[in-house]
């Protein structure tokens, strides 16, 4: 583009009623002196970044519906060429608009740009938008613009919360000058849990012995070692009386740390794992910061050494919201905390097997300031062959920790009696899949008859563009509520959060890549409220789940004793039939029963959570599950990236929890949902 072309295009954009300055500032998270400055920014930077100058245009949507997937940027292609009438977002379909235009002025609209500009120029906040048929509702221009501004603000907040925790370069900030060390300075109790680490523990202990701050005690808690680890520690104890060995049976890392805390006598408590190494100044700078400030705890940066030779660094300032909605950034091995703070929060949660430092940090941040000290405090080897908890325990423990703080099951259970009698809350978790979620919602609205329903769509931390499309496409539908989450919480926790937002006596969980058949819901409700063989109502029901070609995908779950995993029944029953469990693709049950067992267990990462849930319901005394063949749901099985990444862990978890049913197997085929 020549300089003259660029100036002409900038002027054309700035003159256009389509260019919404306030909205573009929300999209770009920047402020501009004039509309021309904003138009200049859009042409030079914003268009390539996918920003939009109007709530009525979305790059991904427009590219999908026009086939211009390889034009970049597509907005400029639409604006500066005579593109034919089409749709530019869920909120605007020019082909709908020209049928009943707000003001046509006698001219025939043939250009998409002309249609957009005419609408924006003459619409009032109360003007109903000419929406695409993917939309669940028919919002007004005022409602749509306000929601678009909110969606942009949510995106930038989420971007900040999810900012990168690691960097490939380290730039140390200035450390305050250390004050003169007073006589009888504060004692630091260093807690080190250990099991079978005889070959690596010496380096960790030596790094404590090398501390420039001398007033410490090292409490090594042996958690049932079967090798010579206790002997190694004992030799250090004989050499330096500040090193103490506490022995106990194998009880887990949290119990071991709590034992160390119970034995601690220091004003401050620090933690060091047996395969990490402190820098000599860690305690001195940490104690100085705690003695001269009001922080509950302090932490330092971590240098993480990869086996490939590349290093990365963990070091950001953050808040409790950053922890909850963006992930952990506090490494336990650099944390030094006031002992009274540890006592107040009750130490480590012994029900957790992984992400225990994350859990501790969340609770510490609730007490008061937790400060980052600008120096590297620990050297950490990212070797994967040392039997670390992070390599042997399931990744779903992070979601288990989040559940503690994002869901209050006691309150949720207490609120169940106030739910609306007869109402069905339909929870649809979705990640980056508006193409199927919006039609799924429309199919539910079209085929549920006169039943009182509400739909809770959980936007599970989708990227920006899908989130914008989903928010726009659901706007104006009175029976639909959108729950936008800051991060992907997987199926289990996302579904639980959607359930907590619901208000119905019944809850139905439905995958986003589904299409429900006509009159699908009434037969499910009827079957659920039938009396079972013992005279009690049925526990949970599911429809017949079909593949795209009409073949059976699931007629319920079957648990065969001794098999490695549950499997889906593939035969079509002639009537409502008992099954062992219900599929997570589509299941209906009473909200009270779901709350009573605290929903899906987030330890399972996008797989086998429905089987585990069915078994927990049965164990709680609710064991009557049915498939309803005259209720049909088509499931397209479009899997998001990483959908099966945790399958091996999920199978191991299921087998360990229900050993009387399942035998662990590393070769079992995946059961799709």
């Amino acid at each position: 583009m020549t300089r003259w072309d660029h100036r002409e295009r900038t002027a054309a954009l700035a003159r256009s009623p389509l260019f919404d300055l306030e909205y573009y500032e929300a999209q770009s998270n920047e402020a501009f002196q004039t509309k021309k400055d904003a138009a200049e920014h859009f042409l030079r930077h914003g268009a390539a970044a996918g920003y939009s100058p109007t709530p009525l245009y979305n790059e991904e949507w427009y590219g999908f519906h026009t086939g211009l997937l390889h034009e970049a940027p597509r907005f400029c292609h639409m604006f500066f060429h005579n593109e034919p009438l089409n749709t530019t977002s869920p909120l605007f379909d020019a082909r709908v608009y020209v049928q009943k235009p707000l003001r046509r002025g006698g001219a025939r609209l043939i250009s998409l740009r002309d249609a957009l500009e005419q609408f924006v120029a003459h619409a009032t906040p109360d003007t109903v938008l000419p929406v695409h048929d993917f939309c669940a509702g028919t919002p007004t221009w005022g409602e749509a613009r306000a929601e678009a501004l909110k969606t942009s603000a949510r995106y930038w907040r989420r971007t900040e919360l999810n900012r990168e925790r690691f960097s490939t370069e380290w730039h140390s900030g200035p450390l305050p000058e250390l004050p003169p060390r007073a006589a009888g300075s504060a004692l630091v109790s260093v807690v080190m849990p250990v099991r079978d680490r005889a070959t690596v523990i010496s380096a960790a202990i030596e790094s404590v012995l090398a501390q420039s701050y001398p007033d410490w005690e090292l409490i090594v808690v042996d958690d049932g070692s079967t090798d010579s680890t206790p002997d190694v520690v004992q030799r250090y104890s004989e050499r330096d009386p500040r090193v103490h060995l506490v022995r106990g049976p194998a009880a887990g890392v949290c119990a071991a740390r709590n034992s160390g805390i119970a034995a601690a006598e220091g004003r401050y408590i620090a933690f060091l794992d047996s395969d990490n190494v402190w820098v000599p100044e860690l305690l001195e700078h940490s104690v100085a910061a705690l003695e001269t400030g009001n922080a509950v705890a302090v932490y330092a940066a971590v240098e993480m050494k990869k086996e490939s030779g590349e290093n990365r660094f963990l070091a950001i300032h953050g808040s409790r919201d950053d922890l909850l909605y963006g992930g952990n950034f506090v490494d336990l091995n650099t944390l030094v905390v006031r002992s009274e703070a540890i006592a107040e929060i009750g130490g480590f949660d012994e029900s957790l097997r992984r992400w225990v430092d994350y859990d501790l940090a969340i609770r510490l941040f609730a007490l008061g300031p937790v400060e980052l000290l600008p120096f590297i405090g620990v050297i950490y080897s990212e070797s994967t062959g040392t039997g670390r908890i992070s390599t042997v325990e399931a990744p779903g423990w992070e979601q288990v920790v989040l559940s503690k703080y994002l869901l209050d099951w006691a309150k949720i259970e207490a609120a169940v009696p106030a739910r609306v009698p007869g109402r069905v809350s339909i929870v649809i978790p979705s990640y980056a899949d508006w193409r199927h979620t919006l039609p799924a919602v429309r199919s539910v609205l079209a085929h549920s008859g006169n039943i009182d329903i509400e739909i809770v769509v959980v936007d599970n931390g989708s990227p920006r563009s899908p989130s914008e499309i989903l928010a726009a496409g659901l706007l104006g539908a009175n029976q639909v509520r959108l729950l936008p989450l800051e991060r992907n919480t997987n199926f289990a926790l996302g579904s639980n959060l959607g359930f907590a937002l619901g208000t119905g006596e019944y809850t139905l969980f439905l995958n986003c890549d589904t299409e429900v058949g006509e009159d699908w819901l009434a037969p499910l409700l009827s079957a659920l409220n039938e009396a079972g063989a013992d005279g009690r109502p049925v526990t949970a029901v599911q429809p017949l789940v079909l593949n795209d070609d009409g073949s059976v995908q699931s007629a319920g779950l079957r648990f065969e004793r001794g098999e490695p995993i549950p499997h889906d029944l593939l035969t079509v029953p002639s009537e409502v039939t008992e099954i062992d469990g219900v599929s997570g693709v589509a299941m209906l049950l009473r909200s009270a029963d779901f709350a009573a067992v605290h929903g899906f267990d987030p330890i399972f990462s996008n797989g086998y959570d429905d089987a585990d849930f069915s078994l927990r319901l049965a164990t709680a005394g609710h064991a009557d599950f049915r498939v309803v063949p005259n209720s049909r749901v088509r499931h397209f099985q479009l899997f998001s990236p990483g959908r099966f990444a945790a399958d091996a862990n999920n199978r191991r978890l299921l087998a360990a929890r229900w050993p009387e049913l399942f035998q662990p197997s590393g070769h079992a085929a995946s059961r799709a949902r």
Side-chain angles (χ1 to χ4, degrees), residues 540-612:
V541 297
Q542 72 159 78
L544 196 65
V545 180
L546 305 176
N547 292 305
D548 192 23
D549 62 4
S551 61
V552 177
Q553 185 184 119
S554 175
L557 302 185
R558 179 68 71 199
F559 306 141
E560 300 287 354
R561 193 173 299 277
E563 290 292 317
I565 56 171
H567 64 270
D568 291 280
L569 293 169
L570 301 179
T571 56
V572 182
S574 59
E575 57 186 17
V576 175
T577 303
E578 287 190 34
I579 51 180
D580 293 337
V582 283
S583 167
V585 173
M587 65 167 72
L588 173 69
L589 73 164
R590 292 168 189 81
S591 299
D593 290 340
F594 189 82
V597 297
H598 295 182
F600 297 109
D601 190 339
I603 191 68
F604 292 93
S605 299
N606 298 326
Y608 302 100
D609 31 43
D610 49 2
D612 173 75

Side-chain angles (χ1 to χ4, degrees), residues 345-349 359-367 404-405:
I345 65 173
F348 290 86
D349 183 344
D359 174 68
L360 188 83
I362 291 170
R363 287 182 284 137
L364 284 174
F365 270 73
L367 295 184
K404 293 176 58 178
Y405 306 103

Side-chain angles (χ1 to χ4, degrees), residues 49 142 506 619:
Y506 306 99
T619 302

Side-chain angles (χ1 to χ4, degrees), residues 189-192 217 219 221 246 253-266 268-271 332 337-350 360 363:
S189 297
V190 183
V191 175
M192 180 185 295
E217 61 173 353
I219 303 168
V221 183
V246 176
V253 67
C254 288
R257 288 196 180 110
N258 285 341
S259 294
I261 291 168
E265 297 183 357
Y268 305 112
I269 296 177
F271 303 96
L332 190 65
V337 58
R338 299 181 189 274
S339 57
E340 62 267 25
I342 288 287
E344 185 173 349
I345 65 173
F348 290 86
D349 183 344
E350 296 183 17
L360 188 83
R363 287 182 284 137

Side-chain angles (χ1 to χ4, degrees), residues 35-110:
K35 193 174 175 183
K36 183 179 178 182
D37 292 338
E40 172 84 14
H41 182 275
F42 175 74
L43 287 175
R44 291 193 180 277
H45 309 289
Y51 304 157
S52 174
T54 170
L56 299 182
Y57 179 88
N58 177 278
E59 278 276 275
E60 182 177 342
W61 176 278
Y62 181 65
F64 175 75
H65 284 91
T66 61
L68 298 173
L69 297 174
H70 303 294
E71 293 287 342
R74 291 182 281 276
F75 179 88
C76 293
H77 191 275
M78 180 275 296
F79 190 86
F80 295 111
H81 297 79
N82 291 321
E83 288 301 302
L85 300 178
N86 211 310
T87 175
T88 54
S89 88
L91 301 169
F92 190 85
D93 190 326
R95 296 160 300 190
V96 175
Y97 174 59
V98 297
Q99 299 303 314
K100 296 181 180 180
L102 178 68
R103 174 185 170 186
R104 296 181 62 176
R108 180 168 175 262
L109 294 173
I110 58 172

Side-chain angles (χ1 to χ4, degrees), residues 221-251:
V221 183
D222 184 71
D223 188 36
S225 288
T226 58
D227 68 357
S228 61
T229 296
D231 297 331
V232 174
V233 179
Q234 188 60 43
R235 286 195 291 271
Y236 278 104
S237 181
E238 292 168 359
R239 172 177 143 192
D240 191 321
R242 293 175 297 177
V243 179
H244 310 292
L245 174 64
V246 176
R247 303 193 65 172

